[in-house]
Amino acid sequence: MVEQLMRDMFLFLSKNKTLTKLAKRYGLRFGASRFVAGETIDEAVRVIRQLNEKGLAVTVDYLGEFVDNEREANEMARHCLEAIEAISREKLNSQLSLKMTSMGLDISDELVMRNMRRILDAAKERGVFVTIDMEDYSRCQKTLDIFKTLKKEYDNVGTVLQAYLYRTEQDIEDLKPYRPNLRLVKGAYKEPPEVAFPDKKDVDENFKKIIKQHLLNGNYTAVATHDDAIIEYTKQLVKEYNIPNSQFEFQMLYGIRPERQIELAREGYTMRVYVPYGTDWYGYFMRRLAERPANVAFVIKGIIRK
């Protein structure tokens, strides 16, 4: 009960625009640097290189929230292009992740498509794969519609589906003809019971179901989880059905369970770390605290040290 109240509180705070502006002003303090690689691409490159040296792959994300005008959307796209160039120049083992709201999804179809094609053209030229993050339920269908359009034009693009949504099993079937590379996650937004499983055990069962469904469809699957039960389920599943390690990977967030990440890499699995950076880190940070209230302890320690 207390954990659920904390989760709801942090999700509420994640959408506070005033606090977002304050966070931008005062920078990465009070524990956020545990989960965010820095504010600039140069800082992110240093972190990516360190992770690569440990045998870990990466997907890097320039954070952005509440983009509501064309100038900001174009600026966000510029940061993505800068990241792609850095990945190529520094020969990093890294992909790119992005949110389409930061590319102008809520502003106009023309704007978001123009920015996405700019990014995917540059990424294709430099051999960089791009994953379109899934956001809240209200943007799910539009995100998938755009993904389908882009997938017809580009091979280097994937997207994300969330296990807590009732619709996800059907979405996987609808996407099957596109042979998509999908990141499967539990889901981190607060959604009503009309569209999402309210109980964790149901989310976990659906997570297992969609992992199996997508793998048996023969498509590349990124299992994004810190949950050992889901990790072990995936290991047993691929063993039972003789699915090669080249058809799937595990993904975790930067700063969470780093020892486990290295263990999985040493076991021979592709282990990819989601590395966010940028000045607009506040909303992301609040959602991480909502997912794992135990992370609050790290924040308190950070405050005490200041």
Side-chain angles (χ1 to χ4, degrees):
M1 181 65 178
V2 173
E3 188 167 309
Q4 184 59 47
L5 286 172
M6 289 180 70
R7 173 179 163 80
D8 291 348
M9 177 188 73
F10 285 122
L11 287 174
F12 173 76
L13 292 173
S14 73
K15 299 177 181 178
N16 188 295
K17 294 188 179 184
T18 301
L19 291 175
T20 296
K21 289 177 181 176
L22 285 172
K24 280 185 176 181
R25 182 181 302 168
Y26 291 106
L28 278 171
R29 300 178 187 175
F30 306 130
S33 58
R34 174 181 170 84
F35 308 104
V36 180
E39 295 189 346
T40 68
I41 186 60
D42 290 339
E43 290 173 312
V45 164
R46 285 195 289 273
V47 170
I48 296 168
R49 187 176 290 114
Q50 289 168 4
L51 293 169
N52 285 171
E53 288 170 356
K54 294 175 182 177
L56 301 169
V58 167
T59 183
V60 67
D61 186 356
Y62 184 79
L63 296 171
E65 309 260 339
F66 307 122
V67 171
D68 57 9
N69 64 74
E70 184 171 346
R71 182 189 62 77
E72 285 187 353
N74 290 335
E75 180 67 9
M76 291 296 295
R78 186 187 68 77
H79 282 291
C80 289
L81 293 169
E82 183 182 59
I84 291 166
E85 175 59 32
I87 291 168
S88 175
R89 182 183 67 248
E90 302 293 333
K91 297 180 172 55
L92 301 171
N93 180 3
S94 180
Q95 301 178 354
L96 176 76
S97 291
L98 58 81
K99 287 182 170 56
M100 282 205 294
T101 51
S102 68
M103 298 299 115
L105 182 70
D106 295 343
I107 301 168
S108 77
D109 292 349
E110 180 187 2
L111 176 62
V112 70
M113 293 303 287
R114 183 170 72 244
N115 279 331
M116 286 303 303
R117 287 190 173 106
R118 284 172 62 203
I119 290 163
L120 288 169
D121 283 341
K124 184 175 182 179
E125 183 181 331
R126 291 164 178 80
V128 176
F129 190 85
V130 178
T131 298
I132 299 168
D133 288 338
M134 187 57 71
E135 301 180 65
D136 61 356
Y137 180 82
S138 67
R139 297 175 175 92
C140 182
Q141 188 60 53
K142 194 170 184 181
T143 298
L144 292 178
D145 289 343
I146 291 174
F147 169 70
K148 289 175 182 176
T149 298
L150 293 171
K151 189 67 172 68
K152 293 173 184 175
E153 302 172 33
Y154 301 92
D155 293 328
N156 62 320
V157 63
T159 191
V160 180
L161 292 179
Q162 300 159 319
Y164 67 176
L165 296 182
Y166 301 136
R167 61 174 289 165
T168 298
E169 186 178 356
Q170 186 58 51
D171 284 334
I172 288 177
E173 285 310 300
D174 291 345
L175 289 171
K176 186 177 177 181
Y178 295 84
R179 299 196 59 77
N181 178 322
L182 295 179
R183 178 194 301 154
L184 303 180
V185 303
K186 287 188 180 182
Y189 294 85
K190 184 171 175 58
E191 301 291 1
E194 290 76 22
V195 301
F197 294 101
D199 295 331
K200 181 182 181 299
K201 63 176 176 36
D202 294 326
V203 176
D204 289 346
E205 285 307 306
N206 200 48
F207 201 2
K208 293 175 183 177
K209 182 186 291 186
I210 63 172
I211 290 168
K212 182 176 183 179
Q213 179 187 7
H214 192 54
L215 280 170
L216 294 187
N217 280 348
N219 296 319
Y220 195 87
T221 306
V223 180
T225 184
H226 305 97
D227 186 336
D228 280 326
I230 299 295
I231 292 169
E232 289 306 314
Y233 170 81
T234 304
K235 287 181 179 181
Q236 292 304 313
L237 182 72
V238 299
K239 186 177 180 180
E240 180 181 351
Y241 288 94
N242 295 313
I243 295 169
N245 285 7
S246 58
Q247 195 191 318
F248 73 98
E249 65 185 49
F250 293 110
Q251 294 189 2
M252 292 189 189
L253 301 172
Y254 175 63
I256 300 181
R257 304 201 71 193
E259 298 86 0
R260 188 71 174 110
Q261 295 172 12
I262 292 171
E263 283 177 11
L264 287 166
R266 287 176 177 167
E267 289 171 17
Y269 299 104
T270 299
M271 175 65 240
R272 191 175 305 279
V273 184
Y274 177 93
V275 175
Y277 74 102
T279 58
D280 204 357
W281 51 266
Y282 171 78
Y284 173 85
F285 181 44
M286 288 296 109
R287 285 193 292 277
R288 297 296 73 76
L289 296 182
E291 281 179 342
R292 291 170 62 89
N295 288 332
V296 176
F298 294 110
V299 178
I300 293 171
K301 287 178 184 176
I303 292 171
I304 291 170
R305 281 198 295 265
K306 294 297 178 184

